[in-house]
Amino acid sequence: FYDSNKDGIGDINGVISKLDYINDGNDKTDTDLGFNGIWLMPIMPSTTYHKYDVTDYCDIDPQYGTMEDFKKLVEECHKRGIDLIIDLVFNHTSAKHPWFLEAVSYLESLEEGQEPDLEECPYAGNYHFTSKYNGSDTYYKAGDSKWYYEGVFWDQMPDLALDNDKVRKEIEDVAKFWLDLGVDGFRLDAAKEYYSGETKKNVEVLQWFTDYVKSVKEDAYIVAEVWEEKSNIAAYYESGIPSLFNFPLAMHNGLIINSVRKLGTSTAKNFGKELLNIYEQYGTGNPEFIDAPFLSNHDTTRISAGCINNEDQMKMSAGVLLTLNGSPYVYYGEEIGMNSMGSKDENKRLPMEWSAVDATGITSPPPGADEVEQKFKPLDEQMKDPRSIYHYYKRAIRIRNENPEIARGEMSIIEELCTKDISAIKKIYEGSEIIILYNMNEEEARVPLKKAGLTNLNIRGYLTVDGREAILSEGMITMPKYSIVVLK
C-alpha cells in the first residue's frame, strides 16, 4: 500500500502516513474517501511475501515494522474513527513455526511403531500427524520420521488440529493478545478448510471462536472467508459469526457484475429479487448477520478485468456495492480502477498506483509478479478529474455515510418499478424510509414514481458515471445511463 522506509515493501508506518487518505476523522473536510474500517492482511512474522504462513502469532513481521508501530497504528486509526481488523490464520501455521519444528523433531526421535506421547511433546498433538500414509496428495513426510502431516494448501502450511483443546487455548490466547492491543476484530482465513468438506465441524469451530472473542470484547467484529454458494454460506451463519464474505455477489461471475453487464439471463429486476433471496437465506442462519459484500480481493482478479476495462460498468458496479446492506469491502486500488492480470496471485497484489511521476512510497511488486499495464490514471491525476473513478467512489461513500438506511435498512422490492433495466429497492431503518433506483443500462431511463404510489419524495443523492444529473420532475425521475438515485 505504501512504503515509509524506501525498502520497496509496504509497512505499518506507510499505512499510518496514508490514514488521512482513508478517513481523516474530520467531517468538515472533503479530503478523505470516508471509509470507516481497515482490514490488514497478515502482519505476523512469516517466510513468504503474503504472510499466510505464520511463524509467530504474537509479533509483527520485521518487514512491516515493530509492535510499537502497530500500537501507533491502532491509536491513529481510532483517533480518526477507523476500526481496524487483522487477518488471523489458524487453519494452518508455517512449517517453520516452533510448534511444528518441535513436533517433527520429536517424531524423528521415535522408534518404528512407537506412538507419540503428548505428555512428552504436546506439540505432536497440534497437527494432523499419521503413520499410516494412504497416498493422499495433501499429506507430506514429516522430516526424516516415519510420520506424515496434513497440509491442504501447501507442504509449508501444516494444518492445525482444531479439535485439540490445547490448540484452541493457544488460539484464544492469540485472540486476546491482539484484542488487548486494541484491534476491533478479525478476518478469519480459509474457514471452510478447518475440516475440508465438513461444514458442521467448521461451523462448530466458528461458533467456539466467535463466542470466545465476544466474551473478551462484546462489540468485536469477526468476518470469515467461506468461499461457497449462498446455501452453504447460510449454514455457516448458524455459528453466530457476525459476517461472512458474500462470494455469490463478487468477482467477474457474481451477481453484481453479471447484473450490471447483463450477462446471460441477468436483468436489473432479477438483481433485486436474487439479492433479497440471499439475505433471507443468510438471515435463517443468523438473523443479526451483517453482510460483507465485495467486488474483488487479493485472491481474485480485479473488477477492471471483470468489466473488461469498461469504466462506466466499473463505476456502476462500485455504486451497487456501496449501496448494499452491511459492511462492503473495497480492495485497495479499486477506487482508481487498478488492473490485475491472469491467475497468478502476485499479479493481483500489485503496488498501489499513487503517481506516475512521484515514486515516493510506491512499493516494489511481489517477487514473481508480471508487468501489468495500468489502463487508468494513477491517484494524483484522478484526484484532479471530478469524473474519475476515484471521485465516483468518494461520492458513493459519502452518500452511504449520510444515509444510515443504506447499510442497516430492512430491504424490500418495489415490483411496480422493476424492469430488465431498472431495479427499485426500498429500505426502512428506525422508521425512516429511502428508495434506491438503479438504471443498469447504457441508455437514459425515465421512471414514473406515481406508478408505485410514491409521492413527496426528494433526491437525497445520486451517482452517475459521466457527470450528468438525475432529475426529478412531477413524479417522473430521469436517470442517466448507469446511474443510481437515492430518494427520501
Side-chain angles (χ1 to χ4, degrees), residues 48-279:
T48 59
Y49 86 90
H50 54 70
K51 312 295 181 208
Y52 278 97
D53 54 332
V54 177
T55 59
D56 183 346
Y57 281 107
C58 295
D59 204 355
I60 301 292
D61 192 289
Q63 288 189 315
Y64 294 161
T66 67
M67 192 58 77
E68 290 309 309
D69 295 333
F70 182 77
K71 290 175 184 175
K72 179 76 171 168
L73 173 62
V74 173
E75 180 188 339
E76 292 296 328
C77 281
H78 291 166
K79 205 183 281 183
R80 291 165 175 79
I82 299 171
D83 286 330
L84 179 69
I85 66 172
I86 63 170
D87 226 315
L88 188 54
V89 186
F90 61 74
N91 174 67
H92 51 263
T93 69
S94 168
K96 302 291 191 294
H97 194 289
W99 301 344
F100 188 72
L101 294 174
E102 191 162 327
V104 170
S105 176
Y106 172 71
L107 293 174
E108 287 174 332
S109 73
L110 296 181
E111 304 281 338
E112 187 157 354
Q114 185 182 354
E115 291 294 311
D117 181 344
L118 298 188
E119 293 291 323
E120 280 185 43
C121 180
Y123 297 123
N126 280 26
Y127 300 88
H128 298 143
F129 290 112
T130 181
S131 58
K132 298 176 178 64
Y133 178 58
N134 63 1
S136 167
D137 59 5
T138 60
Y139 273 78
Y140 305 92
K141 204 163 187 301
D144 291 329
S145 74
K146 304 287 186 186
W147 292 76
Y148 294 80
Y149 66 91
E150 185 182 30
V152 166
F153 288 111
W154 184 33
D155 67 345
Q156 294 301 298
M157 290 176 170
D159 286 10
L160 283 167
L162 294 173
D163 52 356
N164 182 325
D165 288 341
K166 287 184 173 152
V167 171
R168 292 197 177 193
K169 180 64 170 66
E170 295 273 15
I171 293 167
E172 289 175 356
D173 291 346
V174 168
K176 187 171 189 309
F177 173 84
W178 292 102
L179 290 168
D180 288 348
L181 281 172
V183 304
D184 298 289
F186 303 99
R187 179 264 186 184
L188 303 183
D189 181 59
K192 77 183 184 73
E193 306 303 339
Y194 295 154
Y195 296 93
S196 297
E198 299 189 61
T199 298
K200 282 189 176 176
K201 292 179 82 170
N202 294 331
V203 167
E204 188 278 325
V205 173
L206 289 180
Q207 183 175 2
W208 149 71
F209 184 78
T210 300
D211 289 349
Y212 175 75
V213 168
K214 294 289 189 179
S215 76
V216 176
K217 185 174 182 176
E218 193 177 348
D219 65 346
Y221 173 70
I222 309 163
V223 57
E225 176 197 30
V226 176
W227 199 326
E228 286 277 17
E229 296 301 313
K230 61 187 176 186
S231 58
N232 292 342
I233 291 173
Y236 276 83
Y237 267 122
E238 292 174 16
S239 65
I241 194 171
S243 285
L244 296 162
F245 286 111
N246 200 336
F247 279 90
L249 299 187
M251 302 180 286
H252 68 282
N253 57 353
L255 179 64
I256 295 175
I257 287 179
N258 273 356
S259 301
V260 169
R261 294 186 61 200
K262 298 259 180 60
L263 297 178
T265 57
S266 297
T267 64
K269 184 173 189 174
N270 290 345
F271 167 77
K273 287 183 175 177
E274 179 60 17
L275 188 62
L276 197 56
N277 177 264
I278 289 172
Y279 288 166

Side-chain angles (χ1 to χ4, degrees), residues 7 10 17 22 24 26 55 69 77 117 136 161 171 192 209 227 233 275 282 314 323 329 338 346 397 415 427-428:
D7 65 355
S17 72
I22 295 165
D24 63 11
N26 186 346
T55 59
D69 295 333
C77 281
D117 181 344
S136 167
I171 293 167
K192 77 183 184 73
F209 184 78
W227 199 326
I233 291 173
L275 188 62
Y282 292 174
M314 289 165 63
T323 50
Y329 284 74
M338 277 179 60
E346 292 85 349
I397 294 162
E415 295 274 0
K427 293 189 182 186
I428 301 175

Side-chain angles (χ1 to χ4, degrees), residues 265-315:
T265 57
S266 297
T267 64
K269 184 173 189 174
N270 290 345
F271 167 77
K273 287 183 175 177
E274 179 60 17
L275 188 62
L276 197 56
N277 177 264
I278 289 172
Y279 288 166
E280 285 170 352
Q281 286 200 45
Y282 292 174
T284 60
N286 178 3
E288 305 297 316
F289 84 97
I290 302 164
D291 194 26
F294 68 102
L295 293 172
S296 76
N297 66 25
H298 61 296
D299 288 325
T300 74
T301 52
R302 289 181 174 273
I303 58 164
S304 52
C307 293
I308 318 176
N309 291 311
N310 182 314
E311 186 173 337
D312 288 351
Q313 293 176 349
M314 289 165 63
K315 286 176 177 175

Side-chain angles (χ1 to χ4, degrees), residues 1-2 13-23 354 360 379:
F1 188 63
Y2 198 86
N13 283 325
V15 175
I16 293 171
S17 72
K18 285 296 180 183
L19 285 178
D20 284 349
Y21 166 73
I22 295 165
N23 191 327
W354 298 102
T360 305
L379 175 70

Side-chain angles (χ1 to χ4, degrees), residues 325-385:
N325 283 54
S327 293
Y329 284 74
V330 175
Y331 187 37
Y332 79 91
E334 293 294 55
E335 75 276 20
I336 56 171
M338 277 179 60
N339 288 91
S340 58
M341 184 177 74
S343 59
K344 279 173 71 170
D345 282 344
E346 292 85 349
N347 293 347
K348 303 164 187 170
R349 305 169 184 182
L350 298 173
M352 174 69 180
E353 294 278 311
W354 298 102
S355 174
V357 293
D358 181 1
T360 305
I362 296 180
T363 67
S364 304
D370 298 315
E371 192 76 32
V372 178
E373 182 188 357
Q374 295 298 328
K375 306 276 188 185
F376 299 97
K377 291 176 179 175
L379 175 70
D380 59 352
E381 294 178 54
Q382 290 203 26
M383 289 178 95
K384 297 170 188 168
D385 177 4

